[in-house]
């Protein structure tokens, strides 16, 4: 009798927990490596920050999470759970439709406990090298170590990378920045507003985190100036705020603390806070150039998951952005598990590469830069339905698509302030109830 395929999963966050469950459901032998002593990945709050607050020093002491203390989910709780394990209410918990991060971590712990996943996880073991054995696709060496530098080396049949992509800050190049004397920090290292009291702060970025952080900092700061690449932005004071302004992108900075914007305005600032996103980073992965990262494009990857030349023995979960993260992640996990168990077949390497090349060409034709390769660009629902079909599931219920589109509307319209607390719960509860009755 042959032994089940042994699969190494790197990371015990949302993706790692979800894929561990699916792999075990398929009868595979699973081991999960988690460098911290807790599960949850980025959803575990840590008040510590990196030793380099901008994140440019490669030798800095890194804190994995990017959570700030007040963070709430961007999506309603009905979209935060798994398809067969919804996000529940808990006694004395955070009942809000867009709950705080503590509630998400509680959910993940409950999920891991209920499905018996804790016994699969090696806490305190950081993966430092993953490499094929003697050019064999189905044999990989995984080297890991503890904080006490105890080393371990083992051979597995497949590797699933679930290490996340919210740890390595992405920072723009701004003329004069190397001589600017003020304090610089990336949102990865923002936790609470108090350090910015009475400061003039320039926040670069205008997505959800930039808006949340700007509004929170404005409660203690002298002034907050938000810079964005949006072409429609004008240099104006924001309504309903006495100390907040918006501008076009930062043009340059100078040694006297001046920050000049593309719209011709300028301000003498104490702090520049970058809410400019993150870079994919897999320092442990050695593929001899088969998988590369170029301007934040991880590739080549078939459907953002499998490198054609190494499939199915190497895969990545959770790389796409701008999506219904929990449900997309779960469907990717089901797909990977079914492929590794032999129940679902991938196209040939040549066919997968042809798809990737066609996808790259379409991105360029649509005018998207390379670093947005893994943004789904309003193709989120289609992508999830494709994954569902691959594993024999029906398309997602229409209410999920409708709710998702409604929840991202504030981001598209630039009306993010307070949108979570203006959500029409009665309306959506009625829609979900009607959908449930129809299905019966």
């Amino acid at each position: 009798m042959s032994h089940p395929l042994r699969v190494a999963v790197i990371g015990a966050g949302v993706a790692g927990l979800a894929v561990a469950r699916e792999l075990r459901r398929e009868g595979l032998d699973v081991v999960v490596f988690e460098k911290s002593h807790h599960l949850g990945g980025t959803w575990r709050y840590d008040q510590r920050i990196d030793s380099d607050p901008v994140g440019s020093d490669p030798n800095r002491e890194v804190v994995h999470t990017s959570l700030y203390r007040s963070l709430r989910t961007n999506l309603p709780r009905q979209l935060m759970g798994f398809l067969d394990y919804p996000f529940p209410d808990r006694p004395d918990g955070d009942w809000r439709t867009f709950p705080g991060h503590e509630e998400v971590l509680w959910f993940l712990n409950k999920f891991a406990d209920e499905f018996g996943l804790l016994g699969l996880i090696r806490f305190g073991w950081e993966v430092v090298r993953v490499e094929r054995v003697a050019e064999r696709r189905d044999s990989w060496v995984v080297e890991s170590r503890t904080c006490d530098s105890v080393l371990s080396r083992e051979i597995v049949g497949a590797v699933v990378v679930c290490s996340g992509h919210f740890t390595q800050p992405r920072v723009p190049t701004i003329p004069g920045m190397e001589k600017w004397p003020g304090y610089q920090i990336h949102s990865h290292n923002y936790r609470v507003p108090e350090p910015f009291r009475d400061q003039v702060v320039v926040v670069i970025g205008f997505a959800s985190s930039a808006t949340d952080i700007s509004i929170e900092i404005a409660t203690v700061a002298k002034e907050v100036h938000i810079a964005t690449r949006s072409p429609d932005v004008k240099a104006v004071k924001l309504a309903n705020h006495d100390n907040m302004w918006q501008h076009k992108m930062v043009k340059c900075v100078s040694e006297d603390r001046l920050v000049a914007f593309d719209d011709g305005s300028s301000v003498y600032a104490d702090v520049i806070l970058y809410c400019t996103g993150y870079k994919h980073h897999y320092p442990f992965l050695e593929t001899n150039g088969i998988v590369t990262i170029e301007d934040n494009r991880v590739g080549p990857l078939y459907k953002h998951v499998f490198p054609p030349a190494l499939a199915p023995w190497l895969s990545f979960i959770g790389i796409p952005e701008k999506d219904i993260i929990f449900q997309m992640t779960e469907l990717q996990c089901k797909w990977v598990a079914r492929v590794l168990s032999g129940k679902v077949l991938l196209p040939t390497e040549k066919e997968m590469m042809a798809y990737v090349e066609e996808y790259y060409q379409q991105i360029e034709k649509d005018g998207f830069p390379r670093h947005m390769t893994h943004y789904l660009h309003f193709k989120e629902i289609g992508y999830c339905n494709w994954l569902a079909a691959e594993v024999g599931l029906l398309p997602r219920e229409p209410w999920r698509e409708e709710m998702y589109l409604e929840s991202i509307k504030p981001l598209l319209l630039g009306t993010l302030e307070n949108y979570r607390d203006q959500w029409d719960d009665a309306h959506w509860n009625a829609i979900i109830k009607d959908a449930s009755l129809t299905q019966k």
Side-chain angles (χ1 to χ4, degrees):
M1 182 176 179
S2 61
H3 295 288
L5 178 71
R6 185 160 176 78
V7 184
V9 176
I10 303 175
V14 174
L17 295 173
V19 82
R21 181 181 73 153
E22 298 302 330
L23 291 167
R24 195 167 66 170
R25 280 176 163 176
E26 294 298 323
L28 304 179
D29 184 14
V30 186
V31 57
V32 181
F33 293 88
E34 170 53 50
K35 66 180 180 180
S36 77
H37 293 280
H38 311 278
L39 62 79
T42 198
W43 286 103
R44 186 173 185 85
Y45 178 74
D46 190 333
Q47 65 181 3
R48 299 174 304 159
I49 66 172
D50 292 5
S51 55
D52 172 14
V54 179
S56 57
D57 181 1
N59 298 314
R60 72 192 186 281
E61 182 180 345
V62 177
V63 175
H64 181 75
T65 185
S66 296
L67 292 182
Y68 39 97
R69 190 170 64 186
S70 64
L71 181 140
R72 295 169 63 183
T73 64
N74 292 332
L75 298 177
R77 64 195 308 131
Q78 294 92 337
L79 299 180
M80 291 297 293
F82 298 113
L83 297 174
D84 64 347
Y85 195 77
F87 199 103
D89 296 325
R90 64 164 169 159
D92 303 320
D94 186 346
W95 53 267
R96 295 174 297 179
T97 301
F98 295 81
H101 57 81
E102 302 92 343
E103 205 73 2
V104 180
L105 182 62
W106 171 83
F107 169 73
L108 293 175
N109 274 285
K110 188 173 185 292
F111 175 80
D113 184 59
E114 190 150 330
F115 289 97
L117 303 179
L118 292 176
L120 306 178
I121 304 172
R122 291 186 187 174
F123 289 108
W125 286 90
E126 178 184 6
V127 172
V128 294
R129 186 169 76 94
V130 171
E131 188 174 14
R132 282 192 302 173
V133 176
E135 299 300 311
R136 290 178 55 186
R137 292 189 183 187
D138 61 348
S139 188
W140 295 77
V141 59
V142 177
E143 291 185 359
S144 58
R145 70 181 176 204
T146 68
C147 59
D148 298 325
S149 297
V150 176
L151 296 176
S152 175
R153 182 179 185 274
E154 64 182 278
I155 305 298
V156 299
V159 175
V160 186
V161 180
C162 303
S163 53
H165 52 85
F166 295 108
T167 297
Q168 190 73 17
R170 181 182 175 91
V171 178
T173 300
I174 297 174
M177 190 55 71
E178 66 282 355
K179 294 183 178 180
W180 192 74
Y183 180 66
Q184 299 178 58
I185 181 172
H186 190 276
S187 59
H188 169 67
N189 291 305
Y190 174 79
R191 297 293 183 267
V192 294
E194 188 57 36
F196 305 94
R197 180 171 294 277
D198 301 324
Q199 304 284 293
V200 176
V201 182
V202 172
V203 177
I204 300 179
F206 206 57
S208 298
S209 62
T211 301
D212 289 346
I213 292 171
S214 297
I215 292 172
E216 186 168 73
I217 286 178
T219 62
V220 299
K222 181 179 179 181
E223 297 177 5
V224 176
H225 298 262
I226 305 171
T228 174
R229 295 187 185 278
S230 174
D232 302 323
V233 165
K234 296 180 181 179
V236 296
K237 190 173 185 178
L238 293 180
N240 304 318
H241 294 280
D242 294 331
N243 62 341
M244 293 183 68
W245 289 260
Q246 67 178 15
H247 305 264
K248 289 188 180 298
M249 186 55 183
V250 174
K251 181 179 181 180
C252 62
V253 298
S254 55
E255 294 180 60
D256 59 357
R257 292 183 181 263
L258 185 74
V259 177
F261 303 95
D262 283 337
D263 52 34
S265 62
S266 61
V267 63
Y268 290 96
D270 302 297
V271 179
I272 294 179
L273 196 160
Y274 301 95
C275 296
T276 47
Y278 298 86
K279 296 185 290 187
H280 293 282
H281 188 58
Y282 307 106
F284 52 83
L285 186 59
E286 299 180 14
T287 64
N288 295 319
I290 294 176
V291 178
T292 61
I293 303 175
E294 298 180 14
D295 194 16
N296 228 28
R297 170 186 285 175
V298 184
L301 293 181
Y302 176 63
K303 297 289 186 176
H304 307 283
V305 174
F306 289 107
L310 300 173
W313 315 113
L314 178 66
S315 57
F316 297 78
I317 300 293
I319 282 185
E321 300 185 52
K322 315 302 181 186
D323 51 59
I324 310 174
I325 183 63
F326 272 66
Q327 292 169 30
M328 180 215 68
T329 297
E330 182 184 11
L331 289 169
Q332 285 186 330
C333 293
K334 289 180 181 295
W335 185 38
V336 168
R338 300 284 177 87
V339 169
L340 288 176
S341 68
K343 294 179 180 178
V344 173
L345 297 178
L346 291 174
T348 65
E349 178 182 341
K350 183 177 180 180
E351 290 169 335
M352 288 190 285
M353 275 305 305
Y355 168 84
V356 173
E357 291 167 1
E358 181 181 347
Y359 178 69
Y360 288 171
Q361 292 170 4
Q362 188 62 49
I363 288 175
E364 185 176 356
K365 181 180 178 181
D366 292 341
F368 292 110
R370 179 174 294 184
H371 73 261
M372 296 177 72
T373 294
H374 304 296
Y375 285 34
L376 294 183
H377 311 301
F378 301 104
K379 299 176 182 176
E380 305 94 325
I381 305 300
Y383 179 70
C384 284
N385 285 340
W386 183 89
L387 289 170
E390 285 294 294
V391 297
L393 296 178
L394 295 174
R396 300 303 84 222
E397 303 97 313
W399 69 261
R400 294 183 187 272
E401 177 178 1
E402 295 168 12
M403 179 177 281
Y404 172 72
L405 294 175
E406 185 67 22
S407 65
I408 66 171
K409 190 180 294 183
L411 177 62
L412 303 176
L413 298 177
T415 56
L416 285 165
E417 187 173 355
N418 297 324
Y419 80 95
R420 297 176 180 90
D421 296 322
Q422 296 170 357
W423 188 258
D424 190 344
D425 286 314
H427 169 75
W428 288 104
N429 289 339
I431 287 178
I432 295 171
K433 182 178 180 180
D434 289 344
S436 178
L437 292 174
T438 301
Q439 288 179 342
K440 292 179 181 180

